[in-house]
Amino acid sequence: MGRAGGRGRGVRAAGERARPAARRARHRCRQTAVAYLFLAPSLAFFAVFLLLPLLFAVLLSLSRWAGFDLADIRPAGVDNFAALFARGSSFLTPVLTNTLLYALGTVALALTGAVLVAHCITRLRFQGFWRTLYFLPIVTTVVAVGNVWKYMYEPGGLVNGVLNALGLRSVAFLQDPATALPSVVVVQAWASLGSAILILTAGLKAVPHSYYEAAELDGAGPFTVFTRITLPLLRPSLLFVCVTQFITGLQSFALIIVMTGEGGPGDATNVAALEMYQRAFKYGDWGSASAAALVLFVLVLVITLAQLWLFRRKGADG
């Protein structure tokens, strides 16, 4: 009798210990359900505007479609990708080559200019005024920026006027295949300078002033302070600017349309995004345009991952 009573008490004790665990499990389930309920609008937005278009682009890249009736989609396998890289195709050269040069030139000019300007702004009075001044091109439409620079590049424009005043000959900036792409790169870098300056000035303000005081006590010069303190501590901001500017450069084509029309002269300023636009909306070849879009997507992904890996490795080495 006594043994049976002890066994019963043990079972009741085990049941009482199990009840809080079961309540905690039910509470976690309710919390998870509520979390997914709050995430539902964002997940629906992601599915409708990002995931479905991506899947549709993958489908079109393996099909032939003129862009009118979905019933006219015909399977094409990998023919669209093979055509992009076939001998004689202009997609690899000069389109992808121009795209990389355009993005590299934009990042190099914008990053260098932004670092120098941001470094100077943090040492000036009325810093808000200077940041606003450099940010104005960001809030100006691409059409206005492109048309203003287009007239400045004209033979009788401001740029050639300065060259003539210096005793140099006029240059057909947008008409010469050798100078057309660099001319547009300069404008793209200038137009994107404002956001880079804004981010870098915030990064410079986050650098502890005690580091500069210690460097001054050690007798370090301005160049040493800039290269040994400012640039290393500015690495996270530089990484963000570099990645975002590169992605923007790889995807941009509106400025090129405004300044050179259809990527001219010839294909001198034709880039991947413009090539996709023309294949889809001008020639009605949505399959080839989607294949080019996926190639550009892979290119952007690989370059972005390479930049992240490089900056993290530099950070670990530093």
Side-chain angles (χ1 to χ4, degrees):
M1 187 71 182
R3 185 178 300 172
R7 189 180 299 119
R9 285 194 295 274
V11 171
R12 284 195 297 274
E16 290 173 355
R17 284 197 299 271
R19 284 193 199 100
R23 281 199 296 270
R24 284 197 297 272
R26 285 196 297 272
H27 184 64
R28 280 199 297 270
C29 287
R30 283 197 296 270
Q31 284 184 326
T32 304
V34 171
Y36 277 113
L37 189 63
F38 278 104
L39 283 174
S42 301
L43 293 176
F45 182 88
F46 178 80
V48 172
F49 293 102
L50 293 176
L51 188 59
L52 289 180
L54 177 61
L55 295 177
F56 190 57
V58 173
L59 172 67
L60 289 183
S61 68
L62 302 172
S63 311
R64 299 188 192 283
W65 189 46
F68 296 105
D69 191 350
L70 291 176
D72 293 335
I73 296 178
R74 297 288 180 269
V78 295
D79 290 353
N80 292 321
F81 292 96
L84 289 178
F85 298 101
R87 184 185 296 274
S89 172
S90 62
F91 184 72
L92 189 60
T93 306
V95 174
L96 272 187
T97 307
N98 287 344
T99 306
L100 290 174
L101 291 176
Y102 185 78
L104 280 172
T106 301
V107 170
L109 290 178
L111 200 61
T112 305
V115 169
L116 294 176
V117 174
H119 190 67
C120 294
I121 283 179
T122 53
R123 282 155 177 75
L124 294 175
R125 297 178 62 189
F126 311 115
Q127 295 181 15
F129 167 76
W130 294 111
R131 282 196 298 268
T132 304
L133 190 66
Y134 279 99
F135 197 75
L136 282 179
I138 300 294
V139 297
T140 308
T141 64
V142 176
V143 176
V145 170
N147 277 313
V148 168
W149 276 90
K150 185 178 177 181
Y151 288 115
M152 288 172 64
Y153 278 142
E154 290 292 322
L158 177 63
V159 179
N160 274 313
V162 173
L163 292 179
N164 295 333
L166 295 174
L168 301 173
R169 297 173 58 184
S170 297
V171 178
F173 287 100
L174 298 177
Q175 291 76 31
D176 188 344
T179 57
L181 186 62
S183 302
V184 183
V185 166
V186 169
V187 180
Q188 177 69 41
W190 173 82
S192 57
L193 205 59
S195 59
I197 289 174
L198 206 62
I199 295 167
L200 293 180
T201 48
L204 286 171
K205 286 182 177 298
V207 177
H209 196 66
S210 58
Y211 289 0
Y212 295 114
E213 293 175 346
E216 187 178 357
L217 290 175
D218 289 340
F223 182 77
T224 303
V225 170
F226 183 72
T227 55
R228 298 297 180 89
I229 296 178
T230 303
L231 282 184
L233 294 178
L234 206 57
R235 186 178 290 122
S237 302
L238 289 173
L239 172 63
F240 180 80
V241 171
C242 189
V243 170
T244 53
Q245 293 282 348
F246 212 98
I247 292 174
T248 303
L250 289 173
Q251 296 176 336
S252 295
F253 72 99
L255 185 64
I256 293 175
I257 287 183
V258 174
M259 296 187 68
T260 65
E262 298 181 349
D267 276 331
T269 58
N270 194 8
V271 293
L274 178 58
E275 180 73 9
M276 285 186 292
Y277 175 81
Q278 289 182 325
R279 285 174 186 250
F281 294 100
K282 185 175 180 181
Y283 304 116
D285 188 358
W286 283 79
S288 177
S290 299
L294 289 181
V295 171
L296 182 61
F297 170 75
V298 172
L299 186 65
V300 171
L301 180 63
V302 170
I303 291 176
T304 303
L305 292 177
Q307 287 176 316
L308 293 174
W309 175 80
L310 184 63
F311 270 84
R312 284 178 181 171
R313 185 177 178 184
K314 290 288 184 183
D317 293 343

